[in-house]
Amino acid sequence: MNRIRRALSLVLLSASAAFSLGVQAQNRELIVASSATYAPFAFENKDKQIVGFDIDIINAIARQQGLKIKVVNTPFTGIFGALNNGDVDLVISGVTINEKRKQSYDFTPPYFAARQLIALPKNSKVASLKDLAGKKIAVVSASTADDIASREFGKTNPDIRRFESTPLIISELAGGGVDAAMGDNGVIAYRVAQNPDLKTLDDKSFPEEGFGIVVKKGDKPLLDKLTAGLAAIRADGSYVTIYKKWFNKDPNVR
């Protein structure tokens, strides 16, 4: 009888320990990677806090789903490597959903509708992407703009100048180091609006795109929570409030 009681006690202790570990895993803090050089989506304020549209969106989703999160500033050039290595659990950083990336990662539905946009000097005569042939173009390395420029002009073309962040490509353009800079419409428009010597060009050949939240391929439990949270903040009006806060207009995707 004593042996039976001891065996039962061991079973109960093991079950209790497993339950405790499961709860800890479920309640652990998730690390969120975002490149804080991407205003108004993610950037550092004067107090060195990471703020922006993407940050408000992921915080709203986390509250809705009861998730504990910590946002870490991660250069875009290393953001997928951090996810691959398990240093972060998810990425929200203006990441365009495309077929190439979907082969390696899983995405939520789009939370922002985007297009590429070209920044130019005010006096530039460039009227389309094709007019940039033979001109120096700044892009963020590994971005959608990098993919487009590489397809159009050749991946090894020396006229394609690759940088780590959007502020750097705009700075290079403003300083005369390149003839154009290309990137996502929201952030390019935001940066150009701060520089009276620059203008934007919307080439109608650029396809409509969508930003999604990224997780490792096959991480269905986390993807389901993020997708459900995104649907919920759209339904309860939180998404519209956040969008208007940062863009001062109605959302381009609901």
Side-chain angles (χ1 to χ4, degrees):
M1 184 63 72
N2 286 337
R3 284 198 299 271
I4 294 173
R5 285 175 180 168
R6 282 198 297 272
L8 284 172
S9 296
L10 287 172
V11 169
L12 289 172
L13 283 170
S14 298
S16 176
F19 176 79
S20 177
L21 287 171
V23 169
Q24 288 175 18
Q26 186 178 22
N27 293 332
R28 74 178 180 86
E29 186 176 65
L30 298 172
I31 306 301
V32 180
S34 194
S35 177
T37 58
Y38 199 63
F41 294 88
F43 59 100
E44 286 188 343
N45 64 14
K46 59 182 178 60
D47 299 318
K48 298 298 182 182
Q49 298 168 323
I50 303 174
V51 298
F53 176 73
D54 281 0
I55 309 307
D56 283 356
I57 289 294
I58 196 61
N59 280 327
I61 289 172
R63 284 193 298 271
Q64 205 283 332
Q65 289 291 300
L67 301 174
K68 297 177 182 177
I69 65 169
K70 177 183 179 182
V71 179
V72 295
N73 186 3
T74 310
F76 194 84
T77 50
I79 215 161
F80 294 107
L83 184 60
N84 292 339
N85 295 337
D87 298 326
V88 303
D89 298 288
L90 63 139
V91 172
I92 183 167
S93 195
V95 179
T96 303
I97 304 168
N98 61 38
E99 291 306 314
K100 180 181 177 183
R101 286 174 176 159
K102 283 166 67 176
Q103 292 174 13
S104 303
Y105 307 97
D106 285 335
F107 288 83
T108 64
Y111 66 89
F112 184 85
R115 287 169 59 87
Q116 293 300 293
L117 197 62
I118 300 170
L120 298 162
K122 262 287 197 322
N123 61 357
S124 175
K125 299 295 192 291
V126 169
S128 70
L129 174 65
K130 292 187 180 299
D131 290 342
L132 291 176
K135 299 185 183 297
K136 294 185 286 293
I137 311 162
V139 298
V140 175
S141 181
S143 67
T144 300
D146 188 358
D147 289 343
I148 289 174
S150 296
R151 285 197 302 270
E152 186 70 28
F153 306 114
K155 189 172 181 63
T156 59
N157 190 322
D159 287 333
I160 301 174
R161 308 292 174 85
R162 296 175 175 88
F163 297 84
E164 189 174 281
S165 69
T166 304
L168 289 177
I169 68 173
I170 295 297
S171 176
E172 189 72 7
L173 175 62
V178 294
D179 301 297
M182 186 163 62
D184 296 318
N185 57 351
V187 68
I188 292 292
Y190 180 87
R191 294 289 177 181
V192 167
Q194 297 173 331
N195 192 320
D197 295 325
L198 302 180
K199 65 179 180 180
T200 59
L201 169 67
D202 181 9
D203 188 315
K204 299 304 179 186
S205 70
F206 290 145
E208 291 289 339
E209 303 165 342
F211 293 166
I213 304 169
V214 195
V215 301
K216 274 188 173 181
K217 196 74 177 174
D219 191 353
K220 190 173 185 302
L222 180 54
L223 183 67
D224 287 348
K225 281 183 174 293
L226 296 172
T227 299
L230 180 56
I233 67 171
R234 283 176 175 153
D236 69 12
S238 302
Y239 179 89
V240 172
T241 300
I242 294 168
Y243 193 98
K244 286 184 174 180
K245 170 185 172 182
W246 291 105
F247 300 104
N248 199 30
K249 61 182 181 180
D250 287 329
N252 56 8
V253 60
R254 290 178 182 270

